[in-house]
Amino acid sequence: MKKGKKVLSVLLAIFFALTFLLTSCTTPTTPTPQTEVQEKRIKAGFIYVGPIGDYGYSNAHDVGRRYVEEKFPWLDTVYIESVPEGDVERYIDRLINDEKCDIVFTTSFGFMDGTAKAAKKYPDKVFEHCSGYVRDTNLGTYFAELYQMYYLNGLMAGALTKSNKIGYVAAFPTPEVVRHINAYALGVKETNPDAKVYVRWLYAWYDPAKAKEAAESLITEGVDALAFTEDSTAVIDSGEEHTKQGKQIYVFSHYSPMQKFGPDTVVSGQLVDWGIMYEEILRRLYTNTWDNRDYWWLAKEGACDLGGEFGVPINPKFESELKSKKVKDPIFGEISVYDLVMKRLAQMKEPTVLFDPFTGPIKDQSGSVRIKAGERASHDLLWSVDWFVDNVVGEVPKSQ
Amino acid sequence: MMNFKVEKRVETSRFLYIFYIGALILGMLAASLFFSVRGINPLFALSKIFMGAFGSALGIRETIAKSIPLMLCATGLIIAFRGKFWNIGAEGQLLIGAMFATWIGLRFGASHGPLFVIPLMFLSGFAGGALWGIIPAVLKVKFGVNEVIATIMLNYIASNLIQYLVYGPWKGKTHYGFPYTDDFAPSARLPLIPGTRIHYYTLIIAILLAIATYFFINRVKYGYEIKVTGENPEAARYSGMNFLKITIITLILSGGFAGIAGVGEVAGIHFHLTYPDQISAGYGFTAIIIAWLSRLNPLLAIFVSFFFGGILVGGDVIQTSFGLPAATINIFNSLILIFVLMGTFFMEYRVSFAKE
């Protein structure tokens, strides 16, 4: 007891001494000059769920942040990475009170409740939540969606595979990932009706070791074309290794430009551009035209693009192979897969979106029709999809 | 030739606490060096961290909220460590506690009042954590399985179990297929101090348990037996103590307390179960540091938890104000821990140079 008390008092003494010492030596803050004709400035705070060094999701958002910061002279930005979902309110408090942010972007679905609460708490600030569905007078939502690119990747995978076994290394069974697997499988089906798509779940957004293991196990089972959702280059490393050893593996890079990590194995991929979304939202805020709309941006708006490198939709190494493979299309007639990919990309970039991969008839694994002939999937269907199309092997973990 | 000679000190003189203080200061200095290298005035950085955690109402509120699970886990670990049972599994015990409480919350939250649901959630959380603690206890005493390995592995099992539940059978209908259970009904939510995230029921339980544990260890027969079996198993055996029983009691308490921390997190912060690394930001591991820094004294653990909660909260400013990576705060924590552990070592052992 005695001993404990002593340690306690000593510790407390240190603690208070330190608090006093440290709090008393804060550098004086310079008062901001209050000139009347000052140009409007905006400070934007960004909250990321992962580390920006992950070369995936959070990194892509940060690329967007740096893009707008460079673009707009009136903009200051600040970011926080690796924020636990349950703690987002605290970080928002800090960004608003300490950093004096005018707008806060929260970039993960799990930040939704916290962001909604903060929007109520700070009615004169603006909030933008990425990938959610809750909006408020001062809270908007935005999302850059990649499924069209996965579909184009699927067209190429179906054309290139020799074994008719296509793989997908998947992070988590969320609707977003399920949607991407389906789009990929629909592409595969179009160029190769006999091929099947095999899925491996990682239960991690970032886990290079598991991703590599999953890729290796798929390759061992005869898979020779791989797409993935995981925030590292592990699957590409695997593909490059096998390709160098003489067994050609076709890989589609994910989210960030990764072709340079596998020049012999990366055929194409999906690229995201958050920068133009941030540009649009911030420009609206700057010009007092901001509203709480729901941005769901696809190829047409330029939020996503095809390729493993910006400006390189298809790795030139695979061009001739894709050009020599012909398929029959009801509209284009006999066409090479290379041209088909380019035409589809152009169609999806049209303001009227001339083509969408989720156009019926589309059947699920049990054979029942989920999207009727001639219909396009609604936003809500895509948003909450929890079933696979019929050429996928594997299952979506189901709730009871 | 020079040789080191390490001897256990016969008695720890009171001046030796200087080692402890010196260690804290050295830890801060080492952290300062790190800030200097990054071109940031270390005094400014440290003051920002302390201000961020303790210098504003906002900071203090969050610091207290963070200290709740730390306090509960640390108190539980202290009981186990006193019995020299190296429980590295508080993280898993916390998760299973959260899982049990979630089941109660979802099952009874809508149909029963808080007077029924809340106590039941706490009890079930305790039971869940205790269950996860009993497993390695039995494995150790009955089969000689190393408890460090067993508890670490059980963390993974707990984590994967929860992942399975939130992606599978427990996935909510209201979250668009995302990995969350449905939100708890109001009667399964812990009341908060208005304007804060402090679920004060759990805070009160945490403080009361820390005080009770202090008396349990020092005044109650079982507490005494836990210490004896830990410090001198041979003597314990000769005096006829029942190892299995004592170890199980130790781990029921140790795991149960962590389980209560899990209840606080789901019922007071999240209001649903979701993937494990969101439910616990490594509280079960940080609590190991706290237990040792408190020198296995639960009363001290109350304050050390508060201090560490503060470091976690103040760590935000490292990112917002200095733009340093999030990992910086872990470096800061680890440096302080390493120095304090070294200080503790010198408090207990005398190192001298001996000539051969």
Side-chain angles (χ1 to χ4, degrees), chain B residues 153-191:
Chain B
M153 290 305 162
L154 281 165
N155 286 339
Y156 291 108
I157 296 176
S159 165
N160 283 305
L161 184 61
I162 288 195
Q163 223 158 66
Y164 162 75
L165 288 174
V166 295
Y167 278 97
W170 285 14
K171 187 155 73 176
K173 308 252 178 284
T174 51
H175 284 297
Y176 287 78
F178 283 88
Y180 306 83
T181 64
D182 285 323
D183 286 340
F184 296 166
S187 64
R189 297 184 183 197
L190 294 174

Short mmCIF file of all heavy atoms in Angstrom, two decimals, chain B residues 153-191:
data_model
loop_
_atom_site.label_atom_id
_atom_site.label_comp_id
_atom_site.label_asym_id
_atom_site.label_seq_id
_atom_site.Cartn_x
_atom_site.Cartn_y
_atom_site.Cartn_z
N MET B 153 -2.97 -17.13 -29.84
CA MET B 153 -3.73 -17.81 -30.89
C MET B 153 -5.23 -17.58 -30.71
O MET B 153 -5.97 -17.43 -31.69
CB MET B 153 -3.42 -19.31 -30.88
CG MET B 153 -2.03 -19.63 -31.34
SD MET B 153 -1.74 -18.92 -32.96
CE MET B 153 0.01 -18.93 -33.08
N LEU B 154 -5.68 -17.57 -29.46
CA LEU B 154 -7.11 -17.35 -29.22
C LEU B 154 -7.54 -15.95 -29.67
O LEU B 154 -8.69 -15.74 -30.03
CB LEU B 154 -7.44 -17.58 -27.75
CG LEU B 154 -7.57 -19.06 -27.37
CD1 LEU B 154 -7.54 -19.25 -25.87
CD2 LEU B 154 -8.85 -19.65 -27.95
N ASN B 155 -6.60 -15.00 -29.67
CA ASN B 155 -6.92 -13.68 -30.23
C ASN B 155 -7.35 -13.81 -31.69
O ASN B 155 -8.32 -13.22 -32.12
CB ASN B 155 -5.70 -12.76 -30.18
CG ASN B 155 -5.41 -12.26 -28.79
OD1 ASN B 155 -6.29 -12.26 -27.93
ND2 ASN B 155 -4.18 -11.83 -28.56
N TYR B 156 -6.58 -14.62 -32.44
CA TYR B 156 -6.89 -14.78 -33.86
C TYR B 156 -8.23 -15.48 -34.05
O TYR B 156 -9.01 -15.13 -34.93
CB TYR B 156 -5.79 -15.56 -34.56
CG TYR B 156 -4.50 -14.78 -34.66
CD1 TYR B 156 -3.40 -15.12 -33.90
CD2 TYR B 156 -4.41 -13.69 -35.52
CE1 TYR B 156 -2.23 -14.40 -33.98
CE2 TYR B 156 -3.25 -12.97 -35.61
CZ TYR B 156 -2.15 -13.32 -34.84
OH TYR B 156 -1.01 -12.59 -34.93
N ILE B 157 -8.46 -16.49 -33.20
CA ILE B 157 -9.72 -17.23 -33.34
C ILE B 157 -10.89 -16.28 -33.07
O ILE B 157 -11.87 -16.25 -33.82
CB ILE B 157 -9.73 -18.44 -32.39
CG1 ILE B 157 -8.63 -19.42 -32.80
CG2 ILE B 157 -11.10 -19.12 -32.41
CD1 ILE B 157 -8.47 -20.60 -31.89
N ALA B 158 -10.76 -15.48 -32.01
CA ALA B 158 -11.83 -14.54 -31.67
C ALA B 158 -12.06 -13.58 -32.83
O ALA B 158 -13.20 -13.33 -33.26
CB ALA B 158 -11.47 -13.77 -30.41
N SER B 159 -10.96 -13.05 -33.36
CA SER B 159 -11.05 -12.08 -34.42
C SER B 159 -11.73 -12.67 -35.67
O SER B 159 -12.60 -12.06 -36.28
CB SER B 159 -9.64 -11.58 -34.72
OG SER B 159 -9.61 -10.91 -35.93
N ASN B 160 -11.33 -13.89 -36.02
CA ASN B 160 -11.92 -14.51 -37.21
C ASN B 160 -13.37 -14.91 -37.00
O ASN B 160 -14.18 -14.86 -37.92
CB ASN B 160 -11.09 -15.72 -37.64
CG ASN B 160 -9.83 -15.29 -38.36
OD1 ASN B 160 -9.89 -14.56 -39.33
ND2 ASN B 160 -8.67 -15.69 -37.86
N LEU B 161 -13.67 -15.31 -35.76
CA LEU B 161 -15.05 -15.66 -35.43
C LEU B 161 -15.96 -14.45 -35.64
O LEU B 161 -17.03 -14.55 -36.25
CB LEU B 161 -15.10 -16.13 -33.97
CG LEU B 161 -16.43 -16.63 -33.44
CD1 LEU B 161 -16.88 -17.83 -34.25
CD2 LEU B 161 -16.30 -17.02 -31.97
N ILE B 162 -15.51 -13.30 -35.16
CA ILE B 162 -16.33 -12.10 -35.31
C ILE B 162 -16.44 -11.70 -36.77
O ILE B 162 -17.51 -11.32 -37.25
CB ILE B 162 -15.74 -10.97 -34.45
CG1 ILE B 162 -16.01 -11.33 -33.00
CG2 ILE B 162 -16.33 -9.61 -34.84
CD1 ILE B 162 -15.85 -10.26 -32.03
N GLN B 163 -15.33 -11.85 -37.48
CA GLN B 163 -15.38 -11.54 -38.90
C GLN B 163 -16.40 -12.43 -39.62
O GLN B 163 -17.19 -11.96 -40.43
CB GLN B 163 -14.00 -11.77 -39.50
CG GLN B 163 -13.63 -10.67 -40.42
CD GLN B 163 -12.15 -10.60 -40.60
OE1 GLN B 163 -11.54 -11.50 -41.14
NE2 GLN B 163 -11.55 -9.53 -40.15
N TYR B 164 -16.38 -13.71 -39.25
CA TYR B 164 -17.35 -14.64 -39.85
C TYR B 164 -18.77 -14.17 -39.54
O TYR B 164 -19.63 -14.16 -40.42
CB TYR B 164 -17.10 -16.05 -39.30
CG TYR B 164 -18.27 -16.97 -39.50
CD1 TYR B 164 -18.54 -17.50 -40.76
CD2 TYR B 164 -19.12 -17.31 -38.44
CE1 TYR B 164 -19.64 -18.33 -40.95
CE2 TYR B 164 -20.20 -18.13 -38.63
CZ TYR B 164 -20.47 -18.64 -39.89
OH TYR B 164 -21.54 -19.45 -40.08
N LEU B 165 -19.01 -13.78 -38.29
CA LEU B 165 -20.37 -13.39 -37.90
C LEU B 165 -20.84 -12.15 -38.64
O LEU B 165 -21.96 -12.10 -39.14
CB LEU B 165 -20.43 -13.15 -36.39
CG LEU B 165 -20.34 -14.40 -35.51
CD1 LEU B 165 -20.27 -14.01 -34.05
CD2 LEU B 165 -21.54 -15.31 -35.76
N VAL B 166 -19.98 -11.11 -38.73
CA VAL B 166 -20.47 -9.86 -39.31
C VAL B 166 -20.53 -9.93 -40.84
O VAL B 166 -21.24 -9.15 -41.45
CB VAL B 166 -19.64 -8.63 -38.87
CG1 VAL B 166 -19.79 -8.40 -37.38
CG2 VAL B 166 -18.20 -8.73 -39.28
N TYR B 167 -19.81 -10.87 -41.44
CA TYR B 167 -19.93 -11.04 -42.89
C TYR B 167 -20.96 -12.10 -43.23
O TYR B 167 -21.37 -12.23 -44.37
CB TYR B 167 -18.60 -11.42 -43.52
CG TYR B 167 -17.74 -10.22 -43.75
CD1 TYR B 167 -16.77 -9.86 -42.84
CD2 TYR B 167 -17.95 -9.42 -44.87
CE1 TYR B 167 -16.00 -8.74 -43.04
CE2 TYR B 167 -17.19 -8.30 -45.07
CZ TYR B 167 -16.22 -7.96 -44.16
OH TYR B 167 -15.47 -6.85 -44.35
N GLY B 168 -21.34 -12.91 -42.21
CA GLY B 168 -22.25 -14.01 -42.48
C GLY B 168 -23.53 -13.88 -41.70
O GLY B 168 -24.32 -12.96 -41.92
N PRO B 169 -23.72 -14.80 -40.74
CA PRO B 169 -25.03 -14.91 -40.11
C PRO B 169 -25.54 -13.64 -39.40
O PRO B 169 -26.74 -13.47 -39.30
CB PRO B 169 -24.84 -16.04 -39.09
CG PRO B 169 -23.48 -16.53 -39.21
CD PRO B 169 -22.78 -15.82 -40.30
N TRP B 170 -24.65 -12.80 -38.90
CA TRP B 170 -25.12 -11.64 -38.13
C TRP B 170 -25.18 -10.37 -38.97
O TRP B 170 -25.49 -9.30 -38.47
CB TRP B 170 -24.23 -11.40 -36.92
CG TRP B 170 -24.45 -12.39 -35.81
CD1 TRP B 170 -25.13 -13.57 -35.89
CD2 TRP B 170 -24.00 -12.28 -34.47
NE1 TRP B 170 -25.11 -14.20 -34.68
CE2 TRP B 170 -24.42 -13.45 -33.79
CE3 TRP B 170 -23.26 -11.33 -33.75
CZ2 TRP B 170 -24.14 -13.68 -32.44
CZ3 TRP B 170 -22.98 -11.56 -32.41
CH2 TRP B 170 -23.41 -12.72 -31.76
N LYS B 171 -24.86 -10.48 -40.25
CA LYS B 171 -24.84 -9.27 -41.08
C LYS B 171 -26.20 -8.59 -41.05
O LYS B 171 -27.23 -9.22 -41.24
CB LYS B 171 -24.45 -9.64 -42.51
CG LYS B 171 -24.24 -8.45 -43.40
CD LYS B 171 -23.31 -8.76 -44.56
CE LYS B 171 -23.97 -9.63 -45.61
NZ LYS B 171 -23.09 -9.85 -46.77
N GLY B 172 -26.19 -7.27 -40.79
CA GLY B 172 -27.45 -6.56 -40.59
C GLY B 172 -28.21 -6.35 -41.89
O GLY B 172 -27.65 -6.37 -42.98
N LYS B 173 -29.52 -6.16 -41.74
CA LYS B 173 -30.35 -5.93 -42.92
C LYS B 173 -30.34 -4.45 -43.31
O LYS B 173 -30.76 -4.09 -44.39
CB LYS B 173 -31.80 -6.34 -42.62
CG LYS B 173 -31.92 -7.73 -42.05
CD LYS B 173 -32.52 -8.71 -43.06
CE LYS B 173 -32.60 -10.10 -42.48
NZ LYS B 173 -31.31 -10.82 -42.44
N THR B 174 -29.90 -3.60 -42.39
CA THR B 174 -30.06 -2.16 -42.60
C THR B 174 -28.78 -1.49 -43.08
O THR B 174 -28.72 -0.29 -43.18
CB THR B 174 -30.50 -1.48 -41.29
OG1 THR B 174 -29.60 -1.89 -40.26
CG2 THR B 174 -31.89 -1.87 -40.92
N HIS B 175 -27.74 -2.27 -43.35
CA HIS B 175 -26.46 -1.64 -43.70
C HIS B 175 -26.02 -1.94 -45.13
O HIS B 175 -24.84 -1.95 -45.43
CB HIS B 175 -25.38 -2.05 -42.70
CG HIS B 175 -25.49 -1.36 -41.38
ND1 HIS B 175 -25.36 -0.01 -41.23
CD2 HIS B 175 -25.72 -1.84 -40.14
CE1 HIS B 175 -25.51 0.33 -39.95
NE2 HIS B 175 -25.75 -0.77 -39.27
N TYR B 176 -26.95 -2.22 -46.00
CA TYR B 176 -26.65 -2.40 -47.43
C TYR B 176 -25.56 -3.44 -47.67
O TYR B 176 -24.69 -3.24 -48.50
CB TYR B 176 -26.25 -1.07 -48.06
CG TYR B 176 -27.41 -0.12 -48.25
CD1 TYR B 176 -27.90 0.60 -47.16
CD2 TYR B 176 -28.02 0.04 -49.48
CE1 TYR B 176 -28.97 1.45 -47.31
CE2 TYR B 176 -29.09 0.89 -49.63
CZ TYR B 176 -29.57 1.59 -48.55
OH TYR B 176 -30.62 2.42 -48.70
N GLY B 177 -25.60 -4.51 -46.91
CA GLY B 177 -24.64 -5.58 -47.15
C GLY B 177 -23.26 -5.32 -46.61
O GLY B 177 -22.36 -6.11 -46.81
N PHE B 178 -23.07 -4.21 -45.92
CA PHE B 178 -21.76 -3.98 -45.32
C PHE B 178 -21.63 -4.78 -44.03
O PHE B 178 -22.64 -5.18 -43.44
CB PHE B 178 -21.56 -2.48 -45.07
CG PHE B 178 -21.22 -1.74 -46.33
CD1 PHE B 178 -22.22 -1.23 -47.13
CD2 PHE B 178 -19.90 -1.59 -46.72
CE1 PHE B 178 -21.91 -0.56 -48.30
CE2 PHE B 178 -19.59 -0.94 -47.89
CZ PHE B 178 -20.58 -0.42 -48.68
N PRO B 179 -20.40 -5.02 -43.61
CA PRO B 179 -20.19 -5.95 -42.50
C PRO B 179 -20.49 -5.36 -41.13
O PRO B 179 -19.61 -5.16 -40.32
CB PRO B 179 -18.70 -6.30 -42.62
CG PRO B 179 -18.10 -5.08 -43.22
CD PRO B 179 -19.13 -4.55 -44.17
N TYR B 180 -21.74 -5.06 -40.86
CA TYR B 180 -22.15 -4.58 -39.55
C TYR B 180 -23.40 -5.35 -39.16
O TYR B 180 -24.22 -5.67 -40.02
CB TYR B 180 -22.51 -3.09 -39.59
CG TYR B 180 -21.45 -2.19 -40.15
CD1 TYR B 180 -21.30 -2.02 -41.51
CD2 TYR B 180 -20.57 -1.52 -39.29
CE1 TYR B 180 -20.31 -1.20 -42.02
CE2 TYR B 180 -19.59 -0.70 -39.79
CZ TYR B 180 -19.46 -0.54 -41.16
OH TYR B 180 -18.48 0.26 -41.66
N THR B 181 -23.56 -5.61 -37.87
CA THR B 181 -24.85 -6.12 -37.44
C THR B 181 -25.81 -4.94 -37.48
O THR B 181 -25.39 -3.78 -37.60
CB THR B 181 -24.80 -6.66 -36.01
OG1 THR B 181 -24.50 -5.58 -35.12
CG2 THR B 181 -23.73 -7.73 -35.85
N ASP B 182 -27.10 -5.21 -37.34
CA ASP B 182 -28.04 -4.10 -37.22
C ASP B 182 -27.68 -3.29 -35.98
O ASP B 182 -27.06 -3.79 -35.05
CB ASP B 182 -29.47 -4.64 -37.10
CG ASP B 182 -29.98 -5.13 -38.45
OD1 ASP B 182 -29.64 -4.49 -39.47
OD2 ASP B 182 -30.70 -6.13 -38.49
N ASP B 183 -28.09 -2.02 -35.97
CA ASP B 183 -27.81 -1.20 -34.81
C ASP B 183 -28.66 -1.64 -33.62
O ASP B 183 -29.78 -2.11 -33.79
CB ASP B 183 -28.11 0.27 -35.13
CG ASP B 183 -27.03 0.86 -36.03
OD1 ASP B 183 -25.93 0.28 -36.08
OD2 ASP B 183 -27.29 1.88 -36.68
N PHE B 184 -28.10 -1.46 -32.42
CA PHE B 184 -28.84 -1.83 -31.22
C PHE B 184 -30.03 -0.90 -31.04
O PHE B 184 -29.96 0.29 -31.36
CB PHE B 184 -27.95 -1.71 -29.97
CG PHE B 184 -26.78 -2.65 -29.95
CD1 PHE B 184 -25.74 -2.45 -29.04
CD2 PHE B 184 -26.69 -3.72 -30.83
CE1 PHE B 184 -24.66 -3.31 -29.02
CE2 PHE B 184 -25.61 -4.57 -30.81
CZ PHE B 184 -24.59 -4.37 -29.90
N ALA B 185 -31.10 -1.45 -30.47
CA ALA B 185 -32.24 -0.61 -30.08
C ALA B 185 -31.80 0.29 -28.92
O ALA B 185 -30.84 -0.03 -28.21
CB ALA B 185 -33.40 -1.49 -29.67
N PRO B 186 -32.50 1.41 -28.72
CA PRO B 186 -32.08 2.35 -27.67
C PRO B 186 -31.89 1.70 -26.29
O PRO B 186 -30.99 2.09 -25.55
CB PRO B 186 -33.22 3.37 -27.64
CG PRO B 186 -33.79 3.33 -29.01
CD PRO B 186 -33.63 1.93 -29.51
N SER B 187 -32.70 0.70 -25.97
CA SER B 187 -32.56 0.15 -24.62
C SER B 187 -31.33 -0.75 -24.49
O SER B 187 -31.00 -1.20 -23.40
CB SER B 187 -33.82 -0.60 -24.21
OG SER B 187 -34.00 -1.71 -25.05
N ALA B 188 -30.65 -1.02 -25.57
CA ALA B 188 -29.40 -1.78 -25.49
C ALA B 188 -28.19 -0.87 -25.68
O ALA B 188 -27.10 -1.33 -25.94
CB ALA B 188 -29.39 -2.89 -26.53
N ARG B 189 -28.41 0.44 -25.57
CA ARG B 189 -27.28 1.38 -25.70
C ARG B 189 -26.97 1.98 -24.33
O ARG B 189 -27.88 2.30 -23.57
CB ARG B 189 -27.64 2.50 -26.67
CG ARG B 189 -27.90 2.00 -28.07
CD ARG B 189 -28.16 3.15 -29.00
NE ARG B 189 -28.50 2.64 -30.33
CZ ARG B 189 -28.45 3.38 -31.43
NH1 ARG B 189 -28.07 4.65 -31.36
NH2 ARG B 189 -28.77 2.86 -32.60
N LEU B 190 -25.70 2.15 -24.06
CA LEU B 190 -25.31 2.75 -22.79
C LEU B 190 -25.50 4.27 -22.87
O LEU B 190 -25.22 4.88 -23.89
CB LEU B 190 -23.83 2.45 -22.50
CG LEU B 190 -23.49 0.99 -22.25
CD1 LEU B 190 -21.98 0.82 -22.14
CD2 LEU B 190 -24.17 0.50 -21.00
N PRO B 191 -26.00 4.85 -21.78
CA PRO B 191 -26.14 6.31 -21.79
C PRO B 191 -24.77 6.99 -21.80
O PRO B 191 -23.80 6.46 -21.25
CB PRO B 191 -26.87 6.60 -20.48
CG PRO B 191 -26.64 5.41 -19.62
CD PRO B 191 -26.44 4.23 -20.53
#
